[in-house]
Each structure stands twice: as structure tokens, then as C-alpha cells.
Amino acid sequence: MKTTPFTDLHIALGAKMHEFAGYNMPIEYSGIIDEHMTVVNGVGVFDVSHMGEFWVKGPNALAFIQSVTSNDASVLPIGKAQYTCFPNEKGGIVDDLLVYHYEPEKYMLVVNAANIDKDWEWCVSHNSVGAELENASDRMAQLAIQGPKAKEVLQRLTPVDLSAIPYYAFTTGEFAGCPNVIISNTGYTGAGGFELYFYPNDALTIWNAIFEAGKPEGIKPIGLGARDTLRLEMGFCLYGNDLDDTTSPIEAGLGWITKFVEGKNFTNRAELERQKKEGVARKLCAFELQDKGIPRHGYAIVDAEGNQIGVVTSGTMSPVLKKGIGMGYVRTAYSKAGSEIYIQVRNRNLKAQVVKAPFRK
């Protein structure tokens, strides 16, 4: 299994470790609910060094990004990030990712850990414009410091004014005495906070400084288990569950990152444009259980008569709402907020209602 610069620390701290995307990663420390509420109410730290980072450089960098991603990167100013996806030729999604406009003619793509090799091969094989590509995944470490008290804690460690970095913006500066740290107002928890990108040599210095600075706020390390429940409460998609090679961005409710602007001829544009115009047979919806139970990935979604109308892609017991919540693809007619659907849990059909995400307001 691969490791991150923090793997030995996780083990020393007593984390429950498990393989994830080929890495030995912490799943939980003090327990998923405790860690989840720490992030919602205070501040927690996630090791996300397993994520992938690709640099795209040169005069054709933008042209390359416009050809392989669904969103319109031409409107992205330097210092801003954008959520997007790589569509495939079949109408599905290779991966969802972030694009950072780092400098003129220089961008950083941040991709999912499980898809690093697949995404890299995709980028290389679809680089028809001669952009300069560099896979820096093994030469970058990353921490996500999330929660309403994250800014307060991190501000003690950097001369950079964190209040001047709006949502989905970033800057590069000194942090905990380490130079060239990318400080990004992004994250996948819905609780606010920052993500830091830095050289692996600086990893322990930065980790120790953050935990020292955050002592008054009760800062804690957080595992991937709570990362999953936090993103689900916000209705954020997880690749491999809610998105994959067979789900289109239009079906997944990602029409807002699929831009059919003039001159942007990205992969499979014509088919996605047709889907947006004519509609799709199924859609991703969010739902709350009204009966007691916990929905899980792969459970059938049925109508009142018991006919299957879809499948659960993500589900959990919400630590904040104290009820079963989930997402799944259903026939389009059942995808509207307020629709009554049923989740098959151990041969019982549990009543649920389609709602508008996020679950945690």
C-alpha cells in the first residue's frame, strides 16, 4: 500500500487504518459521529495527500483544459478555482476535479485519488494541442482544515490575510514558516475552511504547527469516514458512488458545470447538449427516510407498488439530522422534491421523501 507523509502519525494516534485508493488511510480516530460534529462545530484536519495533482503549462494550457473538461475555464481568473469534470465519449464521467488557475499559462488539476492513473492516461491520450503536462501527485502533500473555527486557527500561522481569500479562491504564501504553500478556500465538507498544498518535506512541520495552534479550539484529526458523512450531508457527489463512467453530468445534476459556450468543443459535447435539451430518463436525487433505517449504496429504490425505479448510490445516518439520508438515481418522474419513494432495506420498503440538497442547511 502507498503511504502519505502522515501515515506513521495516523498509526501513532491510534487511527483505524484501511486501504483506500491504494493508500493506507485513516478511516476514523475517536469515532465518525464525534469527528463529524467536531468539523461542523469547531475544526478538524483531514490528510488528503492521496489526491492527485497535475500541472498543465504552456501557451496551449487553456486550450487543452477547454477540450477535456465540461466547465468553461476561459472565465477563470488567476487565483480562482473551478469545479468541473472530464466527460468521456460514452456520455459518462472519467472523473470530477478542481481546476486552479495558478499563473498565466499554468493550471493545476486536482483529481480523485482512486483515478490518478486513469486520469493521467486520459489527459495524455487527449492532449492533441501539445500542452505541457506534469503529474506532480507524488511530490505534493495536502491537508484540509475544515470547520467554522478553521480560519481563526490557520491565521495564527501565516502572514497571508485569510479573510481576503473568498470561496473557491487561493493564494501562494508562507505558512508555518514554510514557503510556497498553496492556501485554498475550498473543501468538501460544507463547514468552511481551507486546503493547503505543500512539499512533502514540510509535512510534519505544518501538521505540528496546526495542531499546536488549534489546541484552544479543540482541534482533532479526522478520518475518511467522517469526510464521507460530511460531504453526503451537503449533497456533494463522490466518484465511484454517485458518479462514474456510466453517469452523465446532466443525469447527476451537474448541468451547472457543463457549459456549451461558443468555441468550446469538449469531449462528447454534442451528446451532452442533446441530453440537456431533450431530458434524461433518470436523475440523481437526494432523499430523507421517513421510516427508521439506514440507506446504503446499492439498495433498490422502489415506488409505492414495489416496482424498482432506481438505486441508492450513497447513504448514511446523518449525525446532524439523526435520520437516514441518501442519494440515488431514479426515473426522472420521481426526482422532483416532495416525491414519495421507498428504499428497500432488508426486504422492507422504507418510506422516503425526495428533498433538495443540502441536507445540512
Side-chain angles (χ1 to χ4, degrees):
M1 273 193 292
K2 292 183 189 173
T3 58
T4 79
F6 305 105
T7 302
D8 290 344
L9 266 177
H10 302 315
I11 294 166
L13 289 167
K16 242 186 224 174
M17 305 293 288
H18 200 272
E19 185 274 333
F20 179 80
Y23 284 81
N24 190 17
M25 296 298 289
I27 303 305
E28 59 180 283
Y29 296 85
S30 56
I32 290 173
I33 293 173
D34 178 65
E35 292 168 39
H36 183 110
M37 298 313 292
T38 295
V39 174
V40 170
N41 298 317
V43 56
V45 180
F46 301 81
D47 175 11
V48 280
S49 302
H50 59 322
M51 299 289 280
E53 294 89 10
F54 306 158
W55 290 107
V56 183
K57 296 177 268 192
N60 295 320
L62 178 60
F64 167 75
I65 290 167
Q66 288 291 74
S67 70
V68 295
T69 67
S70 63
N71 211 333
D72 183 11
S74 72
V75 300
L76 195 60
I78 292 169
K80 288 284 183 124
Q82 182 184 72
Y83 181 58
T84 187
C85 74
F86 295 132
N88 66 23
E89 278 100 350
K90 301 186 292 261
I93 297 171
V94 179
D95 201 6
D96 62 330
L97 66 146
L98 288 182
V99 175
Y100 285 76
H101 193 175
Y102 191 74
E103 287 170 2
E105 301 185 353
K106 186 175 183 181
Y107 296 81
M108 179 172 72
L109 311 183
V110 181
V111 304
N112 284 302
N115 293 335
I116 293 173
D117 293 343
K118 178 177 84 162
D119 290 353
W120 179 247
E121 283 168 22
W122 183 264
C123 287
V124 169
S125 65
H126 286 74
N127 183 14
S128 58
V129 295
E132 190 187 329
L133 303 179
E134 179 195 343
N135 186 350
S137 304
D138 293 336
R139 298 186 296 282
M140 291 181 84
Q142 188 190 351
L143 290 176
I145 301 88
Q146 298 284 293
K149 296 179 181 173
K151 188 193 290 182
E152 201 179 326
V153 170
L154 299 182
Q155 192 61 76
R156 296 169 190 153
L157 299 169
T158 179
V160 172
D161 179 7
L162 299 182
S163 297
I165 307 174
Y167 193 45
Y168 267 71
F170 68 96
T171 191
T172 303
E174 186 189 303
F175 185 89
C178 302
N180 302 316
V181 175
I182 297 173
I183 304 169
S184 175
N185 185 349
T186 46
Y188 224 53
T189 65
F194 292 81
E195 294 179 304
L196 307 177
Y197 299 83
F198 44 88
Y199 294 112
N201 290 348
D202 294 328
L204 295 186
T205 300
I206 288 173
W207 174 282
N208 291 333
I210 290 169
F211 277 89
E212 188 57 39
K215 271 182 184 169
E217 285 74 23
I219 197 167
K220 290 181 183 178
I222 313 293
L224 294 181
R227 184 173 167 83
D228 191 47
T229 55
L230 285 157
R231 70 91 195 168
L232 183 47
E233 280 189 346
M234 292 308 295
F236 294 155
C237 292
L238 176 67
Y239 196 91
N241 283 41
D242 317 297
L243 307 174
D244 62 32
D245 292 302
T246 69
T247 57
S248 94
I250 308 303
E251 292 174 332
L254 298 178
W256 63 279
I257 64 162
T258 311
K259 302 290 171 60
F260 305 109
V261 295
E262 198 177 331
K264 180 176 165 62
N265 298 310
F266 60 91
T267 308
N268 212 28
R269 170 175 170 153
E271 168 59 16
L272 296 178
E273 210 163 0
R274 184 196 65 76
Q275 286 184 15
K276 189 151 193 179
K277 195 174 162 186
E278 297 177 11
V280 286
R282 61 173 191 164
K283 279 189 176 173
L284 186 66
C285 72
F287 62 83
E288 290 181 1
L289 278 189
Q290 293 175 317
D291 291 334
K292 276 192 178 163
I294 304 175
R296 298 288 186 203
H297 175 79
Y299 284 6
I301 302 175
V302 299
D303 63 15
E305 283 74 49
N307 305 305
Q308 185 161 356
I309 54 166
V311 67
V312 176
T313 52
S314 288
T316 194
M317 174 63 71
S318 163
V320 169
L321 301 180
K322 310 278 195 294
K323 63 167 85 165
I325 61 168
M327 297 197 293
Y329 285 91
V330 295
R331 285 187 211 150
T332 302
Y334 294 88
S335 66
K336 293 179 184 65
S339 298
E340 189 176 277
I341 58 174
Y342 294 81
I343 314 300
Q344 279 193 343
V345 181
R346 296 193 191 89
N347 300 321
R348 289 170 60 226
N349 293 349
L350 304 183
K351 190 190 279 194
Q353 186 177 47
V354 175
V355 298
K356 199 167 162 45
F359 300 96
R360 169 166 36 95
K361 304 293 188 249

